[in-house]
Amino acid sequence: MARTRITPLRLDGENAEQKREEIRRVFHETFSLYESLFDHLQDSAAWVEKAIPLRHPLIFYFGHTATFYVNKLQFAGLIEARLDPHLESVFAVGVDEMSWDDLDETHYDWPAPESVRDYRQQVREMVDQLISELPLTLPITWDSPWWVILMGIEHENIHLETSSVLMRQLSISRVNPVAAFTPWDQAGTAPQNALLPAPGGLVELGKAKDDRQYGWDNEYGSHQHELQPFAAAKFLVSNQEFLAFVEDGGYHNPSYWDEEGDGWRRFSRAEHPPFWVPNSAGWLLRLIAEERPMPWNWPVEVNALEAAAFCRWKSTQTGENLRLPSEDEWRHLRNLSALSDSDGWEDAVPANIGLSVGCSPCPVDQFPQGDFYDLMGNVWEWTSTPIYPFPGFEVHPVYDDFTVPTFDQQHNLMKGGSFISLGNEMQQEARYAFRRHFFQHAGFRYVTSTNTVPEVPIYESDALVSQYAEFHYGRSYYEVPNFAAAVAELALRAMAGKPLRRALDIGCAVGRSSFELAKYCPDVTGLDFSARFISVGVQLRERGHFSYTLVEEGDLRSYQSIDLATLGLRESANHVHFFQADACNLKPLYRDYDLVVAANLIDRLHHPRKFLDDIRERIVPGGILLITSPYTWLEEYTARSEWLGGYKKDGENLSTLEALKEILSPYFRLREESPLDIPFVIRETARKYQHSIAQATLWERL
């Protein structure tokens, strides 16, 4: 049996210099493997053609994993300067589509693949140099600078997988085979599936902080659950087993689909799994770069909505109550298999995983793992569990929005990894979640069980997000008016008599000012660096409501909710679009605004002068720039050399207002009604509040 394409890394070891070279090897192997995946693209059109409307074209993902290194290393203070600010803005943020009908219709001027290859080479050399120079102490912990490099490696592993899925969705004429990604070459008749008993028992999930393998934030903490005995399918559902559902009209019978699934079914007009290709001679299966006669004994690859619909249909055929397994049930089966974790494998790999045996699924009866097959590898397994935080969860400060935006009950966990999964994806503790309509190299098995699927908390418990939700939408404290609404009102007064076609709310946080502006502006863009904040605005725009918890004292919490209709903001909410962005490195498409609001932003930027120099080019003549800030300059956000004011210059006090005048006056006129003060209160607990005063200035573009 072959080994995985790239040997898993461990965080411990006896020799730091050996570990340094091991990390260097894995970095280069991962970086090169990812680049070789894109050799599948046949011509220049393939790079910029969207495989599906909900995702960027593949040129984006080719650049994205490289810019991730630069952006995270700079954020962590490990490098001082960017390599290419333009590319690092264009490739900064991907697309996690908010619903199956949320089409990304943004037009980009994509760079040529050759220029992106050159840029990737620069990034490769920069990271290699860092690997040579960074002091290394073992074991590597998540507050070590080396964690950021490992994060970049694992991030590239994720996109190796998701980019390969997009290639399967490109027109077959756009791709060529690549020898390094040759698929499995055997197929046949599928075995008869059967339910096998699984004993009950205590299941424990969660990593300790001193675990010897790299982990993403959602893996840490501790979860326990006592399971009753249940039964699970011996094999993953095969293409042959799923065919009966297709032929019985399963895609045309709404009774097999829940509300979300039926909405997707009707919108997509799906009639069969996404990689099945109808043909006059019979079904074909689309792989990355070929279509072959249907391998009926390979696992079917579907989204979670299709998998759940099959389970309902199968229940009517068998009289049993079948469903997808929960995360706890999957993990219990995995434990029963007695498989070691990925860092314990020697030469033999006990699964179709890590590109060890081919770049495709394989027969569902190829890899026994205890009494069951493919609990690890072949294709990911959908579960019925939306991702949620374990007790003890905390975000990693360098990538604080990796998981938190998915704690929304819209993202279900997938377990076990696929044929192309590498690194962290191969671990038993790995927790990856995708929207239920999302396509991945993913299939499923079914269970019949009296175990209840755990309730996932519906209230946002992220302390900072909840604090800002209350600040923007909650009660007023100490008779201080709502700050976000007051800022929007000031901006709208300044626009009286002027055209207001497009507005930008930069540093929008959880979005109240954006919604307020949308009552009078037909096109409002809300940008913030934190996807955790942006996700609140997105949920409000989609659903009109959002729930969160507030700290009262100690461990005591109260439960709050936001309703846009009650605030008079529901009808115009569709005028707002929220995106994640770095205010100091905005994409070129954010321009031609009549109004830009930058509320309490400049003293939290790493390069505030760069922001001010850039933003003026994005405002039309006669347009308004509104800046508010309490001018609380702190070195944890802004290096002292970058402060605009708050220090002595040539022996005299320099205020931020004076600096703003110096920077902006050549291009703007300071409006006569400013500066003025706007107070605000942020609630931390029932008995602790921050009472601050922001200075507001209005600038009219010359």
Side-chain angles (χ1 to χ4, degrees), residues 384-401:
S384 57
T385 306
I387 191 170
Y388 65 96
F390 291 150
F393 167 82
E394 58 180 302
V395 299
H396 194 283
V398 175
Y399 200 175
D400 69 347
D401 53 5

Side-chain angles (χ1 to χ4, degrees), residues 80 602 605-610 633-649 654 659 663:
E80 292 184 0
I602 59 169
L605 297 178
H606 46 88
H607 293 98
R609 183 180 291 269
K610 184 179 184 300
W633 298 102
L634 296 170
E635 288 191 274
E636 64 183 284
Y637 299 109
T638 313
R640 184 176 290 270
S641 60
E642 296 289 335
W643 291 5
L644 300 185
Y647 59 89
K648 288 185 178 292
K649 181 179 180 181
L654 178 66
I663 296 167

Side-chain angles (χ1 to χ4, degrees), residues 644-683:
L644 300 185
Y647 59 89
K648 288 185 178 292
K649 181 179 180 181
D650 300 327
E652 300 295 334
N653 293 340
L654 178 66
S655 70
T656 306
L657 176 59
E658 291 169 335
L660 288 174
K661 290 177 179 178
E662 177 186 336
I663 296 167
L664 296 176
S665 290
Y667 312 97
F668 292 87
R669 176 178 68 87
L670 179 62
R671 292 277 292 255
E672 55 276 0
E673 64 266 42
S674 65
L676 61 136
D677 290 340
I678 307 179
F680 61 94
V681 173
I682 296 179
R683 179 196 190 277

Side-chain angles (χ1 to χ4, degrees), residues 235-263:
F235 305 109
L236 295 171
V237 172
S238 65
N239 287 312
Q240 187 168 316
E241 187 173 7
F242 199 87
L243 176 66
F245 172 69
V246 176
E247 292 183 334
D248 197 36
Y251 279 89
H252 300 281
N253 189 336
S255 66
Y256 300 137
W257 303 78
D258 63 13
E259 182 179 2
E260 179 186 358
D262 193 48

